[in-house]
Amino acid sequence: MAKRKATGGRKQSVSTIQRIRTFFQSSVTQYILGVIILAFALFASLSMVSFLFTGSLDQSKVEHSVKIGIANWMGFRGAVLGNILVNEWFGIASIFLLIFTACAGLRLMKAKYINLVRSFILCSLLTIWTSTALYFFFGRFFSNTVIYIGGKHGLFLSHWLTDNFGNIGSFLILLILFVIIMTLITRQTIGFLRRLQEKGTVGISKSKKLIFPWKKRAAKSQTPAQSETPDFIPIETKPNRLVEDKTIEHKPFVREETAAKPLDFEVTKPQEEEYIALVTPKKPVNHPQPNIEEDANELVEELGLYDPTLDLAHYQFPTIDLLKKYNVQDNQIDMAEQNENKDRIIKTLEHYNIQIKSIKATVGPTITLYEIVPDDGVRISKIRNLEDDIAMNLKALGIRIIAPMPGKGTVGIEVPNKDPQIVSMHSIIASKKYQESTYELPIAIGKTITNEVFMVDLTKMPHLLVAGATGQGKSVGLNAAITSLLYKKHPAELKFVLVDPKMVEFNIYSTIEKHFLAKLPDEGNPIITDFTKVTHTLNSLTKEMDDRYKLLNLANVRNVKEYNDKFINRRLNPMKGHRFMPYIVVIIDEFGDLIMTAGKEIELPIARIAQKARAVGIHMIIATQRPTTNIITGTIKANFPARMAFRVMAMIDSRTILDQPGANQLIGRGDLLFTQGNEPIRVQCAFVDTPEVDGISRFIGDQQGYPTAFELPEYVGDDSGEKLSGTSDLSDLDPLFDEASRLIVIHQSGSTSLIQRKFSIGYNRAGRLMDQLELAGVVGPTQGSKAREVLIPDEYHLEQLLNTIKK
């Protein structure tokens, strides 16, 4: 019991310390402290300045604590504080301490980034030197006043220097210290001193020429010695064979039999020419321009490189123990299973008169790859046609034949294991390949058949299309991609735009809103679920893309990596609109549902982003469970070269995703094919469960974040697209009003979805059209889930109504 109480008390003390630390790390607390410190610095400065003028009147009252009749601007406390700063401490030099105090306040308020360590050192040195110098040079003029111009500190140090080094020695010491301090403050001091030195050297040399004129004449009379090395060294050239062979022997022509003579074959490699480095003359500079590089280097030396993570300097990356470590069996191969499969493969091939030279097996976590070398003369297509027969003999869930293997002279047969292993996200994140990766946006997908961690860089893809049937692992794959990015990137370097029409998949990431999520201004939910907001968000991303391209153009760079490197090295001025650009990853789940609902309104901004946004750091990952041609259109496929296909039920769906069969032969449960314009790679997707994702989100969400989520530019659409259905009237008809009214009358069905399908428009515009048709008297009011009643019987009456409206 005593141990439990001690443990409980220790936990309580640790939690108390953690609360105190969290309280002081809060941005609100730091801002309030900054305001208080800045106010104190202003109060002390005014008290000190006032003391210089009213100190003689308040001196006796301060010494006897008389609070009546104080002349100081800040009252009695101001007079006491002014007396301490001026007389008791450093005199007028105390102002440097107050400057440092104000800098600390501004730093806490995040009004300006200031290096406090450097500021403290410089202000301390200036305070000590100025206090001593003021009393040394001007102390005698204030000997009859109550004010110590250098304070008691200056009085003591000035007397100590004078007693030990005398007046001239003290002056030299103060001068040397002044040069050292000014050199620490700005590097321009060195250039100024060097210019002074050069002028002094020129003056001395001129005076020497006037004093010793015979030395110049003696130098002219001497003849220069022969130089040991020539000024020009000629390049050694190779002798010309035509010039060397002056005599050419002529032999009589003799016909020879060439049939018996073997064919001559000679391979030669031509020698490269020798190049002489040309020195281009320097062009005179007529109009000198400011050297941006030198200014940037000076800023870097003074302030250091710009650190985008400084706003969340105490941010901690998620720990590896947040991921579950599954009890995977030892990597022992079941030789009985392997030998059985090998014998059945050989037996099936021999049954169809196909002989093989060798067979080799590579055992993966869920799939075993058997590589066979067929005998000479065996047609590869003959083996490919035996896929169903081999699957039946192996009693396997499904096999996949790769004939031939890319880059190898073998035929591959992929067979599912009887006891598949779980590829945990813990094993992927803890792997050496992931920890040492230098990718900008590393996405760890899973493990290949050879048990290697499979990773890709999203910036190189640059967009990813994920497709597969329901329940085959798409959501787990998206969570694995997000998790691998969260473990590698700081909130200042990466932002997510999460679109979740199902409203349940990405809701778990709402806790990291102020760290990693981006959204529209004044938007409540950081996870986008409404179709209208999806359209506005995508159009806002296109505006962000255009704004970033303008900044890249001003910075004369080609991509966001070069731009951020320039900004970090302080070669871009924030006052001209430049800013650090985090990567933005847009993840859309159930893309097919959005296309069916909004149509072209969704596809067009996605196509624009996919075509242009790569260079400015905006990348997309879209997923769908309906890989049909009306969902994955040609425009989408052309701009999404990287595809990740989970199991589908039909070969036509596999061809839609990968442009080839294969996804229909997968076994499900995270089994996928990844392609990036080359041969597909089979990967077992890493498994990350919902409690693991929740733990990671809570770990990040409990830390200090930004005041708000990353705000995207506000998008203002066209008037026709932004009006609400409640404001529809007959004075501003939709351009499709006539055609929509004819469609409704012909079908005699007042259905909004009918207008959507026929004209390929979004739900909002179709609903607005239906409201205008109701106002015009074409259809009746809404009847719940049923279609509206059509009030116009035929097209003749409709034309009369339309003519009346147009008048």
Side-chain angles (χ1 to χ4, degrees):
M1 291 293 292
K3 289 184 178 179
R4 290 183 180 177
K5 289 182 179 179
T7 306
R10 193 181 300 110
K11 290 183 178 178
Q12 187 175 2
S13 63
V14 171
S15 63
T16 304
I17 294 172
Q18 185 66 27
R19 288 174 188 168
I20 296 173
R21 184 183 301 169
T22 306
F23 173 76
F24 282 103
Q25 287 178 354
S26 172
S27 58
V28 177
T29 305
Q30 291 181 356
Y31 188 86
I32 294 174
L33 287 175
V35 172
I36 294 173
I37 292 173
L38 192 63
F40 171 76
L42 180 61
F43 176 83
S45 300
L46 293 175
S47 302
M48 178 178 159
V49 173
S50 177
F51 183 81
L52 296 176
F53 300 100
T54 62
S56 58
L57 301 176
D58 297 337
Q59 185 68 23
S60 60
K61 297 177 182 178
V62 169
E63 291 177 355
H64 297 88
S65 301
V66 177
K67 302 180 180 179
I68 301 173
I70 296 294
N72 193 286
W73 302 339
M74 298 290 109
F76 177 75
R77 297 300 175 188
V80 173
L81 183 59
N83 180 57
I84 293 173
L85 291 173
V86 177
N87 286 344
E88 300 294 331
W89 284 8
F90 301 97
I92 298 177
S94 298
I95 193 66
F96 293 111
L97 298 179
L98 301 180
I99 291 173
F100 171 75
T101 306
C103 292
L106 292 173
R107 171 67 182 273
L108 286 173
M109 294 167 63
K110 291 185 173 58
K112 187 176 182 181
Y113 173 74
I114 300 170
N115 191 336
L116 292 182
V117 176
R118 185 174 185 275
S119 301
F120 176 76
I121 294 173
L122 293 178
C123 288
S124 300
L125 292 175
L126 283 172
T127 302
I128 295 171
W129 185 89
T130 307
S131 171
T132 308
L134 283 174
Y135 196 88
F136 179 79
F137 291 109
F138 307 105
R140 66 177 68 91
F141 301 109
F142 292 86
S143 58
N144 298 325
T145 63
V146 297
I147 295 176
Y148 293 91
I149 191 170
K152 290 187 177 180
H153 171 270
L155 172 66
F156 172 77
L157 270 185
S158 177
H159 286 168
W160 184 85
L161 287 174
T162 309
D163 294 340
N164 287 276
F165 302 100
N167 291 331
I168 297 177
S170 301
F171 173 77
L172 292 176
I173 291 173
L174 289 174
L175 180 62
I176 293 171
L177 291 176
F178 175 76
V179 172
I180 293 173
I181 293 173
M182 292 305 297
T183 305
L184 293 175
I185 292 175
T186 173
R187 294 182 63 87
Q188 295 180 358
T189 306
I190 300 175
F192 174 75
L193 293 176
R194 285 175 178 171
R195 287 192 294 271
L196 286 180
Q197 182 182 357
E198 290 174 359
K199 291 180 180 179
T201 305
V202 171
I204 293 172
S205 62
K206 287 183 179 180
S207 62
K208 283 184 177 180
K209 289 178 182 179
L210 293 174
I211 297 173
F212 307 106
W214 60 85
K215 289 189 176 182
K216 184 175 181 181
R217 293 194 296 269
K220 287 183 178 180
S221 62
Q222 295 178 359
T223 57
Q226 186 69 27
S227 178
E228 296 181 359
T229 58
D231 295 336
F232 174 73
I233 302 176
I235 297 176
E236 184 178 354
T237 58
K238 295 184 178 180
N240 193 337
R241 293 183 180 178
L242 295 177
V243 178
E244 277 189 350
D245 299 338
K246 295 181 180 179
T247 60
I248 301 175
E249 184 180 357
H250 298 276
K251 294 183 180 180
F253 176 75
V254 180
R255 184 182 298 274
E256 295 180 359
E257 294 292 334
T258 58
K261 187 176 180 179
L263 182 65
D264 292 335
F265 179 68
E266 183 180 358
V267 179
T268 59
K269 181 180 179 181
Q271 296 182 354
E272 296 183 358
E273 297 181 3
E274 295 184 357
Y275 295 93
I276 302 175
L278 300 178
V279 180
T280 56
K282 295 183 179 179
K283 297 182 179 180
V285 181
N286 297 327
H287 303 284
Q289 297 180 355
N291 196 336
I292 300 176
E293 295 290 340
E294 291 184 1
D295 296 342
N297 292 335
E298 289 182 4
L299 281 175
V300 170
E301 290 180 2
E302 292 182 11
L303 304 177
L305 296 175
Y306 174 76
D307 187 4
T309 66
L310 203 59
D311 290 337
L312 297 182
H314 301 287
Y315 174 78
Q316 296 181 356
F317 287 88
T319 56
I320 193 68
D321 55 358
L322 296 173
L323 297 172
K324 185 177 180 181
K325 189 174 182 180
Y326 292 88
N327 294 324
V328 182
Q329 300 176 0
D330 296 335
N331 295 329
Q332 295 180 356
I333 299 175
D334 188 356
M335 292 305 300
E337 178 186 354
Q338 302 303 324
N339 289 326
E340 183 181 358
N341 289 341
K342 179 200 70 173
D343 294 339
R344 288 182 176 179
I345 291 173
I346 295 174
K347 183 179 179 181
T348 303
L349 294 175
E350 288 179 349
H351 181 73
Y352 291 95
N353 297 324
I354 298 175
Q355 302 297 325
I356 62 174
K357 296 180 180 179
S358 63
I359 184 170
K360 181 180 73 172
T362 303
V363 182
T366 57
I367 300 294
T368 299
L369 173 64
Y370 294 91
E371 294 184 57
I372 61 174
V373 180
D375 208 350
D376 296 337
V378 176
R379 300 181 63 180
I380 301 299
S381 59
K382 197 173 181 181
I383 301 176
R384 193 185 294 114
N385 294 332
L386 297 177
E387 185 174 319
D388 295 335
D389 299 278
I390 296 174
M392 183 181 68
N393 288 335
L394 292 175
K395 300 178 182 178
L397 198 64
I399 69 168
R400 178 169 169 259
I401 294 180
I402 310 170
M405 293 281 292
K408 299 180 180 180
T410 60
V411 176
I413 303 175
E414 295 176 347
V415 181
N417 296 336
K418 290 183 180 179
D419 297 322
Q421 304 289 334
I422 295 177
V423 178
S424 64
M425 200 66 196
H426 182 281
S427 64
I428 302 296
I429 300 297
S431 65
K432 183 179 180 181
K433 184 174 182 180
Y434 178 83
Q435 294 294 333
E436 297 180 355
S437 68
T438 58
Y439 292 160
E440 288 294 322
L441 293 177
I443 294 182
I445 297 177
K447 288 187 177 181
T448 61
I449 293 177
T450 57
N451 258 327
E452 295 179 359
V453 175
F454 185 75
M455 290 179 56
V456 289
D457 190 357
L458 185 58
T459 59
K460 298 294 191 301
M461 286 196 262
H463 311 286
L464 178 62
L465 174 63
V466 183
T470 305
Q472 301 303 319
K474 292 190 310 302
S475 298
V476 175
L478 294 178
N479 286 331
I482 296 174
T483 302
S484 58
L485 290 173
L486 291 178
Y487 267 89
K488 207 70 173 177
K489 306 303 288 185
H490 190 273
E493 302 170 330
L494 174 66
K495 301 297 175 184
F496 290 103
V497 175
L498 301 180
V499 179
D500 183 17
K502 292 192 293 188
M503 305 183 187
V504 293
E505 292 295 338
F506 293 150
N507 191 40
I508 198 170
Y509 295 106
S510 58
T511 54
I512 62 173
E513 172 187 355
K514 296 183 179 180
H515 298 81
F516 283 100
L517 298 189
K519 64 178 184 178
L520 292 172
D522 302 326
E523 186 63 41
N525 189 7
I527 311 299
I528 305 165
T529 57
D530 188 17
F531 302 119
T532 307
K533 295 176 182 178
V534 172
T535 307
H536 291 174
T537 302
L538 292 175
N539 285 306
S540 175
L541 282 169
T542 59
K543 189 175 185 302
E544 171 74 11
M545 176 184 69
D546 295 336
D547 294 343
R548 289 190 172 196
Y549 265 113
K550 293 177 182 177
L551 292 177
L552 261 64
N553 185 24
L554 292 175
N556 294 323
V557 294
R558 299 180 61 185
N559 54 56
V560 69
K561 189 175 185 301
E562 296 177 3
Y563 180 91
N564 285 338
D565 288 342
K566 264 193 170 183
F567 193 86
I568 289 173
N569 286 281
R570 300 189 183 275
R571 295 170 60 190
L572 299 176
N573 190 356
M575 303 301 294
K576 295 182 179 180
H578 292 290
R579 54 190 168 89
F580 184 83
M581 295 184 189
Y583 285 99
I584 299 178
V585 179
V586 185
I587 303 179
I588 302 176
D589 194 13
E590 295 303 334
F591 174 68
D593 197 14
L594 294 179
I595 288 291
M596 292 185 64
T597 308
K600 297 293 182 181
E601 297 180 13
I602 290 288
E603 186 178 356
L604 290 179
I606 287 179
R608 278 204 67 204
I609 295 172
Q611 288 171 355
K612 293 180 57 180
R614 171 182 183 175
V616 294
I618 302 177
H619 305 274
M620 299 191 73
I621 301 176
I622 61 176
T624 179
Q625 66 179 0
R626 288 193 292 272
T628 55
T629 53
N630 60 337
I631 302 298
I632 305 177
T633 61
T635 305
I636 298 297
K637 290 179 66 175
N639 294 291
F640 284 78
R643 316 292 175 59
M644 195 161 67
F646 291 85
R647 187 187 180 191
V648 294
M649 300 307 170
M651 184 185 295
I652 187 65
D653 294 337
S654 177
R655 291 187 181 277
T656 304
I657 307 168
L658 303 174
D659 296 326
Q660 58 182 304
N664 56 313
Q665 299 166 330
L666 301 176
I667 62 174
R669 296 178 61 86
D671 190 18
L672 65 92
L673 290 174
F674 179 87
T675 179
Q676 197 172 350
N678 46 19
E679 288 294 325
I681 302 173
R682 193 163 187 175
V683 182
Q684 177 61 39
C685 183
F687 179 69
V688 53
D689 205 0
T690 303
E692 300 175 63
V693 178
D694 183 51
I696 295 170
S697 300
R698 290 183 180 276
F699 180 87
I700 297 174
D702 291 341
Q703 301 183 52
Q704 177 188 356
Y706 295 101
T708 60
F710 183 83
E711 290 190 354
L712 298 173
E714 187 173 358
Y715 171 73
V716 179
D718 299 332
D719 294 337
S720 60
E722 289 296 314
K723 290 185 178 180
L724 299 176
S725 59
T727 63
S728 298
D729 54 26
L730 298 181
S731 62
D732 186 14
L733 292 176
D734 194 281
L736 296 176
F737 178 83
D738 293 351
E739 297 180 45
S741 59
R742 293 188 183 95
L743 177 70
I744 294 298
V745 172
I746 291 172
H747 288 80
Q748 287 293 305
S749 174
S751 172
T752 306
S753 60
L754 177 63
I755 298 176
Q756 280 184 262
R757 291 195 306 272
K758 292 296 182 181
F759 299 107
S760 298
I761 60 176
Y763 179 81
N764 293 335
R765 189 177 180 186
R768 187 167 58 253
L769 272 169
M770 190 60 70
D771 292 338
Q772 291 178 355
L773 292 172
E774 180 183 355
L775 290 174
V778 179
V779 295
T782 58
Q783 299 178 358
S785 59
K786 297 181 180 180
R788 298 180 185 232
E789 180 184 2
V790 181
L791 304 178
I792 305 298
D794 50 32
E795 293 186 64
Y796 175 77
H797 291 86
L798 175 63
E799 293 299 332
Q800 290 182 338
L801 179 62
L802 293 177
N803 293 331
T804 305
I805 294 174
K806 291 178 181 178
K807 290 179 181 179

